[in-house]
Amino acid sequence: MSVSLSRYLLPVVWQLFFCLCVATADERLQQVLTQHESGMGQIQVFHVILHARSPRPPTPDNFEKWMKGEGREPVLFFECAWISDGIRERIQMFPHEQVEDENGRPINIDDYLRDGDKEYWLANWDWDSPQEITPTMQGSVMAEIRPQTAAFRTRDPAWWLLRLPRFETPEPRLTLREYVARFEQVSCVEGESPLDPVQLRLHGDTLGLVADTAAVEIYLEPKAGYHISRMVRENSDETAERMEYQVEEFMQTPSGAYFPRKVVYRVSDKEIPDGMTMGEYEVVTSSFDEPLDPSLFTFRFPENAQVVDTTDQRDPRKWLLWGKENQAKADLQNPMDLLDYDPVARSKMPGRSHSIPRLVMLNLIFLGAVLAVAFLIKRRRSKT
């Protein structure tokens, strides 16, 4: 009888033991995530300037040497200002050396304001050295007002400094807790001592942005307020691709919180098995928990900029012409409306009537097509 009873009880005992272990592991995971959130929450107000370094891309003349490691030393590419008051966030990105398009107009300049509701974006405009724009000729300027979401399709200091975990631009901006919730399989692995980093192992991305053959590891540093100190994504397929972000140095704020001072980003694959440094992100100036100048959150569009506004659900894509006093001066309906606000362009064309010559009409149609294509390119624009 006892043997028969044990045969039935043993699976039940094992099941209870397994459930207890799972509950304990999940409880520890929740504790770690809460400790991480507590550490992150200590820093809400800050103004930091950081430098982003990256190797120069290879040229046909030096490709073989570059692949062997020559000429891959990181050089300063971008300077970034990152400002937050706990609700609003300002990100300004400037190339260290001026970059121009084929027409000599500045590119790779970004200015963002996220106020918790809307996101304002102005690209390729330098207030210290503004390019000339008119209502009909926008140069390289792009401008938009859109709802603030987790999507952030450009270079991101929160990503570079491991404040928000991401590996690639298409991934949304998520807190660590939200990021972990993306994955079907999650385990929390303790170090040998309480001061060793805690490892989170993740697999099975429900958003489909991480391949099924890839696994993610995130390390939290107990000695730095459980801030992320290392992130690794590694593919087990034939590419052997590996991406790794590592905090090389933390700084301590006056209140005792921790913030990364320098992060290094390395990649490797079957072509570069030893890996190479693709990015170095270093804070060069910082202030924490100090009053911020309100002007830091004053966002402006230049006069005559065409601004796309997608924040109105009733009219999901407004097309605005910006005026003085940082306000829209016209709600545009079609490209021909631009002529009403561009005296120079209008003076070169006959009066607007149904008898407009065929050549002029073709020019207007061409202008509309150019604007439409520019808008589509802007909407699909993706940066790394």
Side-chain angles (χ1 to χ4, degrees):
M1 181 68 70
S2 61
V3 174
S4 177
L5 183 62
S6 65
R7 188 177 69 179
Y8 288 105
L9 287 178
L10 191 58
V12 175
V13 171
W14 275 111
Q15 186 175 6
L16 291 173
F17 178 73
F18 175 77
C19 292
L20 178 61
C21 290
V22 171
T24 303
D26 183 68
E27 181 179 345
R28 179 54 182 149
L29 172 63
Q30 298 307 314
Q31 289 175 350
V32 168
L33 293 175
T34 299
Q35 289 169 310
H36 167 78
E37 291 167 340
S38 177
M40 295 285 288
Q42 293 183 51
I43 300 178
Q44 294 292 323
V45 180
F46 58 83
H47 183 179
V48 300
I49 306 295
L50 61 147
H51 286 174
R53 299 179 177 86
S54 183
R56 294 188 184 278
T59 65
D61 295 334
N62 73 346
F63 182 78
E64 291 186 5
K65 293 182 178 179
W66 191 90
M67 289 296 293
K68 295 178 181 178
E70 297 183 27
R72 296 202 313 224
E73 299 79 11
V75 297
L76 182 58
F77 263 82
F78 284 97
E79 299 180 18
C80 173
W82 186 22
I83 310 158
S84 171
D85 66 358
I87 299 176
R88 296 172 296 177
E89 180 183 20
R90 187 77 178 268
I91 298 173
Q92 297 172 305
M93 199 79 61
F94 286 89
H96 179 63
E97 299 177 357
Q98 183 171 332
V99 183
E100 299 178 343
D101 64 11
E102 63 277 8
N103 297 310
R105 298 170 300 199
I107 57 175
N108 287 351
I109 301 173
D110 284 299
D111 189 359
Y112 285 88
L113 174 66
R114 295 163 63 89
D115 65 7
D117 178 35
K118 299 178 181 180
E119 179 178 279
Y120 302 82
W121 174 51
L122 175 62
N124 306 327
W125 181 265
D126 184 350
W127 288 100
D128 293 329
S129 182
Q131 59 178 298
E132 182 180 356
I133 63 172
T134 68
T136 57
M137 300 295 292
Q138 291 290 288
S140 59
V141 173
M142 293 181 284
E144 188 172 349
I145 307 171
R146 52 196 175 221
Q148 180 175 317
T149 67
F152 196 66
R153 61 195 183 201
T154 188
R155 297 167 289 267
D156 183 3
W159 169 10
W160 289 346
L161 296 179
L162 307 190
R163 299 283 290 177
L164 297 175
R166 294 167 77 191
F167 284 93
E168 296 185 272
T169 304
E171 293 187 82
R173 259 179 156 219
L174 301 176
T175 66
L176 179 60
R177 185 181 294 276
E178 293 168 334
Y179 185 83
V180 168
R182 278 174 48 180
F183 292 84
E184 296 174 343
Q185 301 174 29
V186 180
S187 60
C188 179
V189 182
E190 302 280 357
E192 294 184 359
S193 79
L195 296 180
D196 289 338
V198 178
Q199 180 188 28
L200 304 182
R201 296 176 179 172
L202 314 174
H203 188 265
D205 182 17
T206 57
L207 296 185
L209 298 176
V210 177
D212 291 339
T213 56
V216 173
E217 297 176 355
I218 296 179
Y219 296 81
L220 305 178
E221 183 58 68
K223 293 179 289 187
Y226 285 84
H227 195 289
I228 298 174
S229 60
R230 185 178 170 218
M231 293 197 318
V232 180
R233 195 182 83 184
E234 188 165 10
N235 276 21
S236 58
D237 60 12
E238 65 278 1
T239 66
E241 181 188 57
R242 177 185 172 90
M243 308 166 70
E244 179 177 357
Y245 289 84
Q246 174 77 52
V247 177
E248 288 203 340
E249 182 182 357
F250 281 101
M251 69 175 79
Q252 196 166 12
T253 71
S255 64
Y258 290 88
F259 197 90
R261 185 188 300 277
K262 184 177 181 180
V263 175
V264 174
Y265 168 46
R266 290 181 59 82
V267 299
S268 63
D269 57 25
K270 64 179 182 180
E271 300 292 336
I272 312 176
D274 295 332
M276 64 174 290
T277 298
M278 289 296 293
E280 292 180 354
Y281 313 108
E282 183 175 10
V283 175
V284 294
T285 304
S286 62
S287 67
F288 299 94
D289 304 319
E290 297 180 5
L292 297 173
D293 187 335
S295 66
L296 293 172
F297 297 100
T298 300
F299 194 93
R300 295 182 294 155
F301 291 118
E303 185 180 4
N304 290 326
Q306 296 177 25
V307 180
V308 176
D309 184 349
T310 60
T311 61
D312 191 341
Q313 294 183 351
R314 296 167 300 176
D315 186 3
R317 198 179 73 183
K318 285 186 177 180
W319 183 22
L320 308 173
L321 182 64
W322 217 250
K324 296 181 180 179
E325 307 300 328
N326 201 29
Q327 294 181 350
K329 64 180 178 182
D331 186 346
L332 304 170
Q333 301 301 317
N334 63 71
M336 292 183 65
D337 291 346
L338 292 168
L339 295 176
D340 294 335
Y341 301 93
D342 195 332
V344 175
R346 188 172 64 244
S347 67
K348 297 178 181 179
M349 308 183 75
R352 291 178 57 183
S353 70
H354 295 292
S355 60
I356 294 178
R358 183 171 180 273
L359 179 60
V360 174
M361 181 60 72
L362 289 174
N363 286 336
L364 287 174
I365 294 174
F366 176 75
L367 173 61
V370 170
L371 292 172
V373 170
F375 175 75
L376 289 174
I377 292 175
K378 176 190 68 177
R379 293 290 292 170
R380 297 176 182 176
R381 183 167 169 253
S382 177
K383 302 177 182 176
T384 57

mmCIF file of all heavy atoms in Angstrom, residues 16-46:
data_model
loop_
_atom_site.group_PDB
_atom_site.id
_atom_site.type_symbol
_atom_site.label_atom_id
_atom_site.label_comp_id
_atom_site.label_asym_id
_atom_site.label_seq_id
_atom_site.Cartn_x
_atom_site.Cartn_y
_atom_site.Cartn_z
ATOM 1 N N LEU A 16 4.824 20.288 -6.824
ATOM 2 C CA LEU A 16 4.795 21.370 -5.846
ATOM 3 C C LEU A 16 6.161 22.008 -5.688
ATOM 4 O O LEU A 16 6.294 23.242 -5.580
ATOM 5 C CB LEU A 16 4.288 20.841 -4.496
ATOM 6 C CG LEU A 16 2.810 20.447 -4.429
ATOM 7 C CD1 LEU A 16 2.512 19.793 -3.084
ATOM 8 C CD2 LEU A 16 1.931 21.677 -4.646
ATOM 9 N N PHE A 17 7.207 21.172 -5.681
ATOM 10 C CA PHE A 17 8.567 21.688 -5.562
ATOM 11 C C PHE A 17 8.917 22.552 -6.775
ATOM 12 O O PHE A 17 9.504 23.631 -6.642
ATOM 13 C CB PHE A 17 9.552 20.530 -5.440
ATOM 14 C CG PHE A 17 10.993 20.968 -5.357
ATOM 15 C CD1 PHE A 17 11.498 21.557 -4.214
ATOM 16 C CD2 PHE A 17 11.840 20.814 -6.457
ATOM 17 C CE1 PHE A 17 12.816 21.966 -4.133
ATOM 18 C CE2 PHE A 17 13.160 21.221 -6.392
ATOM 19 C CZ PHE A 17 13.653 21.796 -5.228
ATOM 20 N N PHE A 18 8.523 22.067 -7.960
ATOM 21 C CA PHE A 18 8.804 22.832 -9.179
ATOM 22 C C PHE A 18 8.076 24.178 -9.150
ATOM 23 O O PHE A 18 8.646 25.219 -9.474
ATOM 24 C CB PHE A 18 8.360 22.022 -10.407
ATOM 25 C CG PHE A 18 8.501 22.770 -11.699
ATOM 26 C CD1 PHE A 18 9.738 22.937 -12.305
ATOM 27 C CD2 PHE A 18 7.380 23.314 -12.321
ATOM 28 C CE1 PHE A 18 9.857 23.634 -13.489
ATOM 29 C CE2 PHE A 18 7.493 24.003 -13.509
ATOM 30 C CZ PHE A 18 8.741 24.162 -14.089
ATOM 31 N N CYS A 19 6.800 24.159 -8.752
ATOM 32 C CA CYS A 19 6.032 25.408 -8.685
ATOM 33 C C CYS A 19 6.641 26.375 -7.685
ATOM 34 O O CYS A 19 6.680 27.589 -7.908
ATOM 35 C CB CYS A 19 4.575 25.110 -8.306
ATOM 36 S SG CYS A 19 3.661 24.229 -9.598
ATOM 37 N N LEU A 20 7.132 25.829 -6.563
ATOM 38 C CA LEU A 20 7.765 26.665 -5.548
ATOM 39 C C LEU A 20 9.022 27.316 -6.103
ATOM 40 O O LEU A 20 9.276 28.510 -5.899
ATOM 41 C CB LEU A 20 8.092 25.836 -4.307
ATOM 42 C CG LEU A 20 8.802 26.577 -3.160
ATOM 43 C CD1 LEU A 20 7.924 27.712 -2.644
ATOM 44 C CD2 LEU A 20 9.161 25.612 -2.039
ATOM 45 N N CYS A 21 9.810 26.535 -6.862
ATOM 46 C CA CYS A 21 11.041 27.070 -7.461
ATOM 47 C C CYS A 21 10.725 28.148 -8.474
ATOM 48 O O CYS A 21 11.380 29.205 -8.523
ATOM 49 C CB CYS A 21 11.846 25.949 -8.116
ATOM 50 S SG CYS A 21 12.579 24.795 -6.930
ATOM 51 N N VAL A 22 9.689 27.887 -9.309
ATOM 52 C CA VAL A 22 9.305 28.876 -10.318
ATOM 53 C C VAL A 22 8.817 30.152 -9.653
ATOM 54 O O VAL A 22 9.176 31.263 -10.052
ATOM 55 C CB VAL A 22 8.224 28.297 -11.256
ATOM 56 C CG1 VAL A 22 7.654 29.392 -12.156
ATOM 57 C CG2 VAL A 22 8.807 27.173 -12.099
ATOM 58 N N ALA A 23 7.997 29.997 -8.619
ATOM 59 C CA ALA A 23 7.482 31.173 -7.909
ATOM 60 C C ALA A 23 8.611 31.955 -7.267
ATOM 61 O O ALA A 23 8.631 33.192 -7.305
ATOM 62 C CB ALA A 23 6.458 30.728 -6.855
ATOM 63 N N THR A 24 9.573 31.229 -6.689
ATOM 64 C CA THR A 24 10.714 31.897 -6.057
ATOM 65 C C THR A 24 11.555 32.630 -7.094
ATOM 66 O O THR A 24 11.995 33.770 -6.865
ATOM 67 C CB THR A 24 11.581 30.871 -5.314
ATOM 68 O OG1 THR A 24 10.779 30.184 -4.350
ATOM 69 C CG2 THR A 24 12.732 31.564 -4.620
ATOM 70 N N ALA A 25 11.780 31.991 -8.255
ATOM 71 C CA ALA A 25 12.569 32.624 -9.311
ATOM 72 C C ALA A 25 11.866 33.855 -9.844
ATOM 73 O O ALA A 25 12.490 34.899 -10.074
ATOM 74 C CB ALA A 25 12.821 31.619 -10.437
ATOM 75 N N ASP A 26 10.551 33.757 -10.052
ATOM 76 C CA ASP A 26 9.801 34.903 -10.552
ATOM 77 C C ASP A 26 9.788 36.023 -9.519
ATOM 78 O O ASP A 26 9.889 37.205 -9.869
ATOM 79 C CB ASP A 26 8.367 34.487 -10.891
ATOM 80 C CG ASP A 26 7.581 35.629 -11.492
ATOM 81 O OD1 ASP A 26 7.898 36.046 -12.625
ATOM 82 O OD2 ASP A 26 6.652 36.130 -10.819
ATOM 83 N N GLU A 27 9.692 35.653 -8.252
ATOM 84 C CA GLU A 27 9.715 36.670 -7.196
ATOM 85 C C GLU A 27 11.054 37.394 -7.185
ATOM 86 O O GLU A 27 11.107 38.615 -7.037
ATOM 87 C CB GLU A 27 9.458 35.997 -5.845
ATOM 88 C CG GLU A 27 9.432 36.980 -4.682
ATOM 89 C CD GLU A 27 9.165 36.306 -3.354
ATOM 90 O OE1 GLU A 27 8.723 35.132 -3.371
ATOM 91 O OE2 GLU A 27 9.396 36.936 -2.306
ATOM 92 N N ARG A 28 12.142 36.645 -7.367
ATOM 93 C CA ARG A 28 13.456 37.278 -7.397
ATOM 94 C C ARG A 28 13.597 38.192 -8.610
ATOM 95 O O ARG A 28 14.172 39.278 -8.514
ATOM 96 C CB ARG A 28 14.545 36.198 -7.418
ATOM 97 C CG ARG A 28 15.969 36.762 -7.473
ATOM 98 C CD ARG A 28 16.226 37.754 -6.369
ATOM 99 N NE ARG A 28 17.565 38.334 -6.427
ATOM 100 C CZ ARG A 28 17.868 39.563 -6.031
ATOM 101 N NH1 ARG A 28 16.907 40.342 -5.534
ATOM 102 N NH2 ARG A 28 19.097 39.997 -6.113
ATOM 103 N N LEU A 29 13.075 37.753 -9.751
ATOM 104 C CA LEU A 29 13.111 38.595 -10.951
ATOM 105 C C LEU A 29 12.382 39.913 -10.697
ATOM 106 O O LEU A 29 12.888 40.990 -11.052
ATOM 107 C CB LEU A 29 12.465 37.848 -12.124
ATOM 108 C CG LEU A 29 12.253 38.672 -13.405
ATOM 109 C CD1 LEU A 29 13.585 39.128 -13.992
ATOM 110 C CD2 LEU A 29 11.459 37.868 -14.433
ATOM 111 N N GLN A 30 11.220 39.830 -10.082
ATOM 112 C CA GLN A 30 10.467 41.048 -9.798
ATOM 113 C C GLN A 30 11.221 41.948 -8.817
ATOM 114 O O GLN A 30 11.200 43.179 -8.945
ATOM 115 C CB GLN A 30 9.082 40.695 -9.237
ATOM 116 C CG GLN A 30 8.207 39.906 -10.200
ATOM 117 C CD GLN A 30 8.069 40.566 -11.556
ATOM 118 O OE1 GLN A 30 7.836 41.771 -11.640
ATOM 119 N NE2 GLN A 30 8.204 39.792 -12.623
ATOM 120 N N GLN A 31 11.907 41.345 -7.863
ATOM 121 C CA GLN A 31 12.698 42.139 -6.924
ATOM 122 C C GLN A 31 13.823 42.869 -7.647
ATOM 123 O O GLN A 31 14.068 44.054 -7.398
ATOM 124 C CB GLN A 31 13.281 41.226 -5.837
ATOM 125 C CG GLN A 31 12.267 40.680 -4.852
ATOM 126 C CD GLN A 31 12.906 39.699 -3.884
ATOM 127 O OE1 GLN A 31 14.050 39.277 -4.055
ATOM 128 N NE2 GLN A 31 12.158 39.321 -2.840
ATOM 129 N N VAL A 32 14.496 42.162 -8.549
ATOM 130 C CA VAL A 32 15.609 42.768 -9.296
ATOM 131 C C VAL A 32 15.102 43.920 -10.166
ATOM 132 O O VAL A 32 15.720 44.987 -10.224
ATOM 133 C CB VAL A 32 16.320 41.700 -10.146
ATOM 134 C CG1 VAL A 32 17.280 42.352 -11.134
ATOM 135 C CG2 VAL A 32 17.075 40.728 -9.248
ATOM 136 N N LEU A 33 13.979 43.703 -10.841
ATOM 137 C CA LEU A 33 13.429 44.760 -11.683
ATOM 138 C C LEU A 33 13.016 45.970 -10.849
ATOM 139 O O LEU A 33 13.208 47.115 -11.263
ATOM 140 C CB LEU A 33 12.226 44.232 -12.473
ATOM 141 C CG LEU A 33 12.543 43.171 -13.537
ATOM 142 C CD1 LEU A 33 11.257 42.638 -14.161
ATOM 143 C CD2 LEU A 33 13.467 43.725 -14.610
ATOM 144 N N THR A 34 12.467 45.718 -9.666
ATOM 145 C CA THR A 34 12.084 46.820 -8.783
ATOM 146 C C THR A 34 13.309 47.580 -8.293
ATOM 147 O O THR A 34 13.306 48.823 -8.212
ATOM 148 C CB THR A 34 11.279 46.289 -7.582
ATOM 149 O OG1 THR A 34 10.088 45.649 -8.067
ATOM 150 C CG2 THR A 34 10.901 47.412 -6.631
ATOM 151 N N GLN A 35 14.381 46.846 -7.957
ATOM 152 C CA GLN A 35 15.619 47.506 -7.534
ATOM 153 C C GLN A 35 16.208 48.340 -8.668
ATOM 154 O O GLN A 35 16.715 49.448 -8.448
ATOM 155 C CB GLN A 35 16.618 46.457 -7.051
ATOM 156 C CG GLN A 35 16.242 45.820 -5.722
ATOM 157 C CD GLN A 35 17.107 44.605 -5.388
ATOM 158 O OE1 GLN A 35 17.276 43.702 -6.213
ATOM 159 N NE2 GLN A 35 17.653 44.584 -4.181
ATOM 160 N N HIS A 36 16.124 47.822 -9.887
ATOM 161 C CA HIS A 36 16.588 48.580 -11.048
ATOM 162 C C HIS A 36 15.769 49.864 -11.217
ATOM 163 O O HIS A 36 16.330 50.947 -11.417
ATOM 164 C CB HIS A 36 16.476 47.719 -12.300
ATOM 165 C CG HIS A 36 16.631 48.480 -13.577
ATOM 166 N ND1 HIS A 36 17.865 48.880 -14.065
ATOM 167 C CD2 HIS A 36 15.710 48.932 -14.469
ATOM 168 C CE1 HIS A 36 17.692 49.537 -15.202
ATOM 169 N NE2 HIS A 36 16.409 49.580 -15.466
ATOM 170 N N GLU A 37 14.443 49.756 -11.111
ATOM 171 C CA GLU A 37 13.585 50.930 -11.258
ATOM 172 C C GLU A 37 13.851 51.958 -10.176
ATOM 173 O O GLU A 37 13.816 53.170 -10.422
ATOM 174 C CB GLU A 37 12.125 50.495 -11.244
ATOM 175 C CG GLU A 37 11.717 49.698 -12.478
ATOM 176 C CD GLU A 37 10.377 49.011 -12.329
ATOM 177 O OE1 GLU A 37 9.917 48.821 -11.173
ATOM 178 O OE2 GLU A 37 9.791 48.645 -13.360
ATOM 179 N N SER A 38 14.140 51.482 -8.976
ATOM 180 C CA SER A 38 14.455 52.399 -7.884
ATOM 181 C C SER A 38 15.734 53.172 -8.180
ATOM 182 O O SER A 38 15.803 54.390 -7.974
ATOM 183 C CB SER A 38 14.603 51.619 -6.574
ATOM 184 O OG SER A 38 14.981 52.476 -5.516
ATOM 185 N N GLY A 39 16.753 52.462 -8.679
ATOM 186 C CA GLY A 39 17.998 53.139 -9.020
ATOM 187 C C GLY A 39 17.827 54.130 -10.153
ATOM 188 O O GLY A 39 18.367 55.240 -10.111
ATOM 189 N N MET A 40 17.051 53.738 -11.173
ATOM 190 C CA MET A 40 16.807 54.641 -12.294
ATOM 191 C C MET A 40 16.007 55.861 -11.857
ATOM 192 O O MET A 40 16.223 56.977 -12.337
ATOM 193 C CB MET A 40 16.051 53.884 -13.396
ATOM 194 C CG MET A 40 16.835 52.761 -14.037
ATOM 195 S SD MET A 40 18.102 53.358 -15.163
ATOM 196 C CE MET A 40 17.086 53.925 -16.521
ATOM 197 N N GLY A 41 15.071 55.641 -10.939
ATOM 198 C CA GLY A 41 14.214 56.734 -10.500
ATOM 199 C C GLY A 41 14.934 57.802 -9.710
ATOM 200 O O GLY A 41 14.401 58.907 -9.531
ATOM 201 N N GLN A 42 16.125 57.512 -9.230
ATOM 202 C CA GLN A 42 16.885 58.508 -8.484
ATOM 203 C C GLN A 42 17.412 59.619 -9.386
ATOM 204 O O GLN A 42 17.821 60.674 -8.902
ATOM 205 C CB GLN A 42 18.055 57.838 -7.765
ATOM 206 C CG GLN A 42 17.648 56.886 -6.650
ATOM 207 C CD GLN A 42 18.859 56.311 -5.941
ATOM 208 O OE1 GLN A 42 19.757 57.025 -5.505
ATOM 209 N NE2 GLN A 42 18.900 54.996 -5.842
ATOM 210 N N ILE A 43 17.426 59.357 -10.699
ATOM 211 C CA ILE A 43 17.917 60.370 -11.636
ATOM 212 C C ILE A 43 16.779 60.726 -12.579
ATOM 213 O O ILE A 43 16.439 59.968 -13.481
ATOM 214 C CB ILE A 43 19.131 59.858 -12.440
ATOM 215 C CG1 ILE A 43 20.271 59.500 -11.496
ATOM 216 C CG2 ILE A 43 19.578 60.904 -13.447
ATOM 217 C CD1 ILE A 43 21.489 58.950 -12.210
ATOM 218 N N GLN A 44 16.173 61.881 -12.372
ATOM 219 C CA GLN A 44 15.093 62.357 -13.220
ATOM 220 C C GLN A 44 15.471 63.657 -13.940
ATOM 221 O O GLN A 44 15.055 63.875 -15.073
ATOM 222 C CB GLN A 44 13.831 62.586 -12.379
ATOM 223 C CG GLN A 44 13.250 61.316 -11.784
ATOM 224 C CD GLN A 44 12.672 60.391 -12.827
ATOM 225 O OE1 GLN A 44 12.074 60.836 -13.801
ATOM 226 N NE2 GLN A 44 12.863 59.091 -12.644
ATOM 227 N N VAL A 45 16.218 64.491 -13.264
ATOM 228 C CA VAL A 45 16.586 65.802 -13.814
ATOM 229 C C VAL A 45 18.070 65.808 -14.120
ATOM 230 O O VAL A 45 18.902 65.618 -13.221
ATOM 231 C CB VAL A 45 16.241 66.938 -12.812
ATOM 232 C CG1 VAL A 45 16.625 68.297 -13.391
ATOM 233 C CG2 VAL A 45 14.752 66.904 -12.466
ATOM 234 N N PHE A 46 18.407 66.007 -15.380
ATOM 235 C CA PHE A 46 19.826 66.016 -15.739
ATOM 236 C C PHE A 46 20.036 66.750 -17.057
ATOM 237 O O PHE A 46 19.106 66.965 -17.842
ATOM 238 C CB PHE A 46 20.377 64.592 -15.846
ATOM 239 C CG PHE A 46 19.671 63.712 -16.848
ATOM 240 C CD1 PHE A 46 19.993 63.748 -18.198
ATOM 241 C CD2 PHE A 46 18.684 62.826 -16.432
ATOM 242 C CE1 PHE A 46 19.343 62.936 -19.110
ATOM 243 C CE2 PHE A 46 18.033 62.011 -17.336
ATOM 244 C CZ PHE A 46 18.367 62.067 -18.688
#
